[in-house]
Amino acid sequence: MMLDEKIIDQKLASKYNNLVKTDDLLPIKVTDFYKKKVLEEINTIGKGGPLYRSVVPTIEKINVKTSVETRDYVEEDKHNPVKNCDYIIQKYDDRLVFIITDVCFAHCQYCFRTYNLSQFQKSNLKETIINKVHILKDYLKINSNIKEVIFSGGDPLSIDYENLKYALEELNNWEIRIHTRAIVYEPSVFSKQIIELLSEHNVRLVFHINHPYEIDSEVENKINEIRQSGIRMYSQFPLLRGINDNSKVIIKLLNKMDELYVRPLSIFISDPISYGAVNRVSVMRIEKIMDEVNWGTPSWINSTRFVMDTTIGKVRRENIIKREGKCLTFMRDGKTVEYYDLDDGIDVPTDLNKLLWKD
Ligand code: SF4
């Protein structure tokens, strides 16, 4: 997708597009709905605001690197229980992730799945959704401990109604959770027909909303409409430098979701992935933001967990067993994993006036 000069310097866009080919980044992709908000932001504070950074690459994204980063920190490709089926990812006994599609409405610049998603998108060996569902169902039938299937992607709501209906009907015996960013990128996707379908199958909907300005009146109305159908709504989002790296932004977002009856679950610490340093926050600041959110808010806000996804599953501050220089060691279920903090000088806190420019 080409964005014009008003949004991105064309030399930068072309440099980024080359990296899409050579370094497996995700192509620039933004919906018209979200682009309008990005333009509103540019017209007020110029380029580089929170919504801008969510979908438009910056020169810092290309240039800022830290000593330890990897393409896929959580190593999803090592957790595929069914041979040759990279779309089934299982890290826990009782649930698994089903990559029902590799298509997203827009590409988030901070996507932790950038590498794997770019591989799915380039693959010539695409399975139909019907085949994927069949293979998944066969696996579920012989693994009775799995109770929940988490539809992820890509954005599961980017698939057409008939395929979604098929998948939900076939997997009716399992709890279904859908992770989506459609609500902020393309809220019109939640048509009456889709809402009825999700409601009928008692789906849990987990929104990824990163910033309070992503919730405008149209998004708010849609969330209200979904709520009236009885669908259980949750939220989780990453902590991202340049987008929401201040406790005031996080608290404002969590309060907004509380008003809308969206239950917050987790705030994710950004993975140390290639081209991800631009969005990462240093451990010292992560802990400061956590404490400000945890100790300065009522229970319905501070019950939100700060977690980090790793090869050994999700870990929290309580799982840290060693701090040595830049290296933190986490332990869970007898297994350990290391996480390296950002190099010094990278994590410059974003100006709150920029993060909350409307307030
Ligand atoms: S919608 Fe999800 S999968 Fe797609 S780019 Fe954004 S974070 Fe990644």
Side-chain angles (χ1 to χ4, degrees):
M1 171 184 223
M2 287 304 291
L3 292 176
D4 62 30
E5 189 74 32
K6 190 169 170 43
I7 299 186
I8 183 168
D9 171 79
Q10 295 304 291
K11 271 197 197 145
L12 172 59
S14 123
K15 199 168 178 182
Y16 181 83
N17 289 338
N18 284 335
L19 291 173
V20 169
K21 291 182 205 134
T22 59
D23 287 30
D24 303 297
L25 297 183
L26 295 169
I28 300 169
K29 186 177 182 189
V30 194
T31 55
D32 287 342
F33 179 78
Y34 202 84
K35 197 163 125 186
K36 260 192 256 160
K37 292 187 210 182
V38 171
L39 283 168
E40 184 198 2
E41 193 180 83
I42 293 175
N43 289 336
T44 318
I45 58 164
K47 291 173 186 167
L51 271 51
Y52 182 95
R53 282 174 180 269
S54 301
V55 287
V56 184
T58 57
I59 192 70
E60 297 87 46
K61 164 151 180 155
I62 294 174
N63 291 341
V64 178
K65 309 242 180 277
T66 188
S67 306
V68 185
E69 46 188 37
T70 168
R71 290 205 292 204
D72 172 20
Y73 179 67
V74 293
E75 297 184 340
E76 287 192 325
D77 55 357
K78 292 195 181 143
H79 293 88
N80 303 133
V82 183
K83 204 167 171 231
N84 296 329
C85 295
D86 50 8
Y87 49 86
I88 301 174
I89 303 165
Q90 188 177 10
K91 282 203 202 158
Y92 305 98
D93 282 350
D94 60 347
R95 58 195 185 277
L96 55 72
V97 171
F98 178 38
I99 307 285
I100 194 165
T101 176
D102 55 25
V103 177
C104 306
F105 291 98
H107 287 148
C108 312
Q109 283 298 317
Y110 54 82
C111 178
F112 84 94
R113 201 172 269 148
T114 291
Y115 176 68
N116 289 339
L117 202 58
S118 71
Q119 298 311 298
F120 295 144
Q121 291 183 351
K122 283 177 197 157
S123 168
N124 296 322
L125 305 163
K126 291 201 185 193
E127 279 281 11
T128 63
I129 288 173
I130 291 179
N131 280 350
K132 283 185 186 178
V133 169
H134 273 292
I135 289 168
L136 171 64
K137 204 171 163 185
D138 286 346
Y139 178 69
L140 291 169
K141 277 190 203 155
I142 53 169
N143 288 279
S144 57
N145 44 334
I146 302 173
K147 306 288 180 232
E148 185 188 27
V149 177
I150 303 166
F151 285 20
S152 188
D155 198 311
L157 294 181
S158 67
I159 69 175
D160 62 54
Y161 175 81
E162 290 306 328
N163 271 317
L164 185 61
K165 185 168 182 281
Y166 178 82
L168 291 174
E169 280 170 359
E170 286 295 305
L171 300 170
N172 208 25
N173 288 339
W174 289 269
E175 298 264 352
I176 302 292
R177 189 191 332 167
I178 293 184
H179 282 246
T180 177
R181 232 170 110 64
I183 195 71
V184 296
Y185 284 147
E186 200 64 87
S188 61
V189 160
F190 290 93
S191 60
K192 205 165 175 289
Q193 192 186 35
I194 288 282
I195 294 176
E196 273 171 18
L197 179 69
L198 300 179
S199 169
E200 192 185 316
H201 288 275
N202 206 17
V203 159
R204 288 190 175 88
L205 213 45
V206 182
F207 297 135
H208 296 197
I209 306 176
N210 306 323
H211 192 283
Y213 299 167
E214 289 187 328
I215 308 173
D216 64 5
S217 56
E218 202 168 332
V219 172
E220 196 168 324
N221 290 342
K222 203 43 103 174
I223 292 177
N224 283 328
E225 198 183 326
I226 297 168
R227 176 165 74 89
Q228 275 151 23
S229 73
I231 293 173
R232 291 164 291 179
M233 299 177 294
Y234 305 83
S235 87
Q236 63 176 42
F237 59 92
L239 175 65
L240 298 162
R241 187 153 55 88
I243 296 176
N244 59 20
D245 59 317
N246 187 299
S247 58
K248 290 199 167 61
V249 183
I250 306 270
I251 293 169
K252 189 176 170 76
L253 174 60
L254 293 173
N255 270 313
K256 185 78 206 163
M257 289 196 281
D258 180 60
E259 281 166 24
L260 293 170
Y261 295 82
V262 178
R263 270 187 272 173
L265 301 177
S266 309
I267 300 173
F268 280 86
I269 305 309
S270 294
D271 288 348
I273 52 162
S274 316
Y275 295 97
V278 65
N279 292 121
R280 286 177 61 198
V281 178
S282 65
V283 171
M284 192 183 77
R285 269 214 315 133
I286 292 171
E287 294 191 310
K288 183 173 175 285
I289 293 171
M290 276 169 67
D291 288 339
E292 286 167 359
V293 173
N294 286 339
W295 300 116
T297 57
S299 322
W300 51 92
I301 302 295
N302 66 37
S303 54
T304 317
R305 310 166 308 168
F306 280 82
V307 296
M308 186 163 69
D309 204 7
T310 72
T311 47
I312 59 167
K314 292 189 184 55
V315 294
R316 304 194 215 172
R317 178 151 63 176
E318 305 86 278
N319 297 95
I320 298 175
I321 55 162
K322 192 162 80 178
R323 292 175 190 250
E324 209 165 40
K326 292 275 175 204
C327 180
L328 265 61
T329 306
F330 292 85
M331 180 183 266
R332 177 182 170 153
D333 303 330
K335 295 183 202 149
T336 58
V337 66
E338 289 181 345
Y339 169 88
Y340 283 83
D341 198 359
L342 281 173
D343 292 347
D344 292 339
I346 293 180
D347 180 24
V348 179
T350 315
D351 180 359
L352 184 60
N353 291 322
K354 195 168 185 180
L355 291 178
L356 290 180
W357 58 271
K358 283 190 196 177
D359 292 47

